[in-house]
Amino acid sequence: MKTRVFSGMQPTGNLHIGNYLGALKNWVRIQNDYECIFCIVDLHAVTVYQDPAELRSKIQEIAALYLAAGIDPKACSIMVQSAVPAHAELAWMLTCVSPVGWLERMTQYKAKAAKQESVSDGLLQYPVLMAADILLYQAGIVPVGEDQAQHLELTRDIAQRFNSLYGDTFVVPDTSLPAVGARVMGLDDPTQKMSKSATGAGHAVALLDPPSKIRKTIMRATTDSNPAVDFETAGPGVLNLISIYQAFSGDSDEAVKTRFTGRRYGDLKKQVAEMVIAHLEPFQERYRRIVSEPGYLAGVLREGAGRVEPIADATVRLVKERMGLYVGD
């Protein structure tokens, strides 16, 4: 039996090169080594208001981007969270064993709550839903970035608490965070991780940006006061550009040092832009082909949900039995 892997992305904002290099590229790399479930987590998206038509469109877009990146729907299950009701059902049962104090300690909750006058209960319960996503499929590995590491640790705590209350029920997922790729920083602020919710025009290169926009964004990237690349004294902006080039090219550290030492920043940016464009143009061509095929995406998502639903339903039934809830026979 292959270890089961679960991961997902929200259908909000625009997926960018950080999402590709940090997650999608690695999902593709591991998809034949594990039993992979790659989800579009639309229930998480509605913790804040989403325009319904835009959300529906984004769900389709994210699914097509998964496929364009090289995720094989025959090797993996690609599915939408809300298409499997067991996600929400298990989340409620886990909410009932999750102390509020645990949830209020979450760094992301505190940061987001501080920016809002009124906080929805969904924002507080977000990590419990994430725990339900993972525990529903008895996932052994959850490849997430550092920003989700605290939520994954909470998932482990919830699983262990449930197991101690009701008997051994859930696989406690690994926290080793395997298969996490390059950490790409914002091009306008290289001290912050590239984010798909950021609104600045020069912050990120989106996966569907045309070449002219990619060049413009990268040429405006923040660097430092040095006249040329010096690996000993380079600032975070310069190192971020080099990291992006290396992640796309696959070059060794030595090859990258040889290529860029002493290069002026204009030349560095041009080379990074051309490397990104060379990879994204065929990616975008695959995307256009996928979305132009009538019924294809809907079929992939329907098949993915159909494949995982029996696993999810079996877990919910087991949890109900353990908790003494009604199971119908």
Side-chain angles (χ1 to χ4, degrees), residues 227-300:
V229 177
D230 178 347
F231 280 82
E232 298 299 318
T233 60
V238 173
L239 295 176
N240 187 42
L241 288 167
I242 291 167
S243 171
I244 290 167
Y245 181 95
Q246 186 173 14
F248 275 110
S249 69
D251 288 354
S252 66
D253 291 349
E254 200 54 48
V256 168
K257 278 193 174 182
T258 301
R259 173 177 283 276
F260 289 117
T261 297
R263 296 271 186 170
R264 299 191 73 81
Y265 293 155
D267 188 21
L268 165 67
K269 290 176 179 179
K270 280 178 189 169
Q271 291 201 42
V272 173
E274 294 314 311
M275 177 60 68
V276 172
I277 290 164
H279 279 77
L280 290 192
E281 280 188 321
F283 180 100
Q284 291 170 4
E285 179 54 39
R286 291 193 296 274
Y287 174 87
R288 286 190 288 270
R289 200 163 59 241
I290 288 159
V291 297
S292 68
E293 194 174 328
Y296 176 64
L297 265 182
V300 166

Side-chain angles (χ1 to χ4, degrees), residues 7-294:
S7 200
M9 292 184 184
Q10 283 194 41
T12 55
N14 295 312
L15 286 196
H16 51 63
I17 57 172
N19 300 124
Y20 175 72
L21 296 172
L24 288 174
K25 189 178 177 187
N26 289 290
W27 292 3
V28 172
R29 183 170 60 82
I30 67 170
Q31 65 182 332
N32 294 308
D33 299 327
Y34 300 93
E35 183 190 339
C36 294
I37 300 169
F38 296 127
C39 188
I40 298 151
V41 289
D42 55 342
L43 292 173
H44 284 290
V46 295
T47 54
V48 295
Y49 175 79
Q50 304 294 335
D51 176 84
E54 189 175 332
L55 181 60
R56 272 190 288 272
S57 173
K58 280 289 178 184
I59 290 167
Q60 300 292 314
E61 181 183 295
I62 298 283
L65 289 170
Y66 281 7
L67 294 164
I71 294 171
D72 180 358
K74 292 183 173 62
C76 311
S77 299
I78 302 173
M79 44 80 69
V80 182
Q81 186 184 29
S82 64
V84 179
H87 283 263
E89 193 173 4
L90 181 60
W92 170 252
M93 291 183 274
L94 296 183
T95 295
C96 295
V97 300
S98 302
V100 173
W102 288 5
L103 308 182
E104 289 175 333
R105 281 201 303 269
M106 294 294 104
T107 305
Q108 281 196 15
Y109 168 73
K110 288 192 284 189
K112 289 179 180 178
K115 296 176 186 174
Q116 299 178 24
E117 280 185 33
S118 174
V119 179
S120 77
D121 187 46
L123 193 61
L124 181 67
Q125 300 297 338
Y126 177 107
V128 183
L129 178 58
M130 180 173 163
D133 297 336
I134 295 162
L135 301 178
L136 191 60
Y137 300 107
Q138 306 288 4
I141 296 175
V142 188
V144 298
E146 287 174 27
D147 56 333
Q148 292 293 329
Q150 190 185 29
H151 286 166
L152 184 54
E153 192 56 54
L154 180 73
T155 299
R156 287 171 54 82
D157 291 342
I158 291 171
Q160 288 164 344
R161 182 175 171 84
F162 190 96
N163 288 349
S164 72
L165 287 170
Y166 294 107
D168 198 20
T169 305
F170 293 118
V171 170
V172 179
D174 200 337
T175 58
S176 60
L177 312 181
V180 173
R183 184 175 167 83
V184 180
M185 312 305 282
L187 294 170
D188 57 346
D189 180 1
T191 65
Q192 300 293 321
K193 187 180 172 187
M194 192 174 281
S195 166
K196 61 189 175 76
S197 61
T199 52
H203 176 75
V205 172
L207 294 178
L208 298 177
D209 279 350
S212 59
K213 188 174 181 185
I214 294 171
R215 286 191 185 93
K216 192 174 182 181
T217 303
I218 291 176
M219 293 307 291
R220 288 179 171 174
T222 299
T223 50
D224 55 37
S225 57
N226 291 347
V229 177
D230 178 347
F231 280 82
E232 298 299 318
T233 60
V238 173
L239 295 176
N240 187 42
L241 288 167
I242 291 167
S243 171
I244 290 167
Y245 181 95
Q246 186 173 14
F248 275 110
S249 69
D251 288 354
S252 66
D253 291 349
E254 200 54 48
V256 168
K257 278 193 174 182
T258 301
R259 173 177 283 276
F260 289 117
T261 297
R263 296 271 186 170
R264 299 191 73 81
Y265 293 155
D267 188 21
L268 165 67
K269 290 176 179 179
K270 280 178 189 169
Q271 291 201 42
V272 173
E274 294 314 311
M275 177 60 68
V276 172
I277 290 164
H279 279 77
L280 290 192
E281 280 188 321
F283 180 100
Q284 291 170 4
E285 179 54 39
R286 291 193 296 274
Y287 174 87
R288 286 190 288 270
R289 200 163 59 241
I290 288 159
V291 297
S292 68
E293 194 174 328

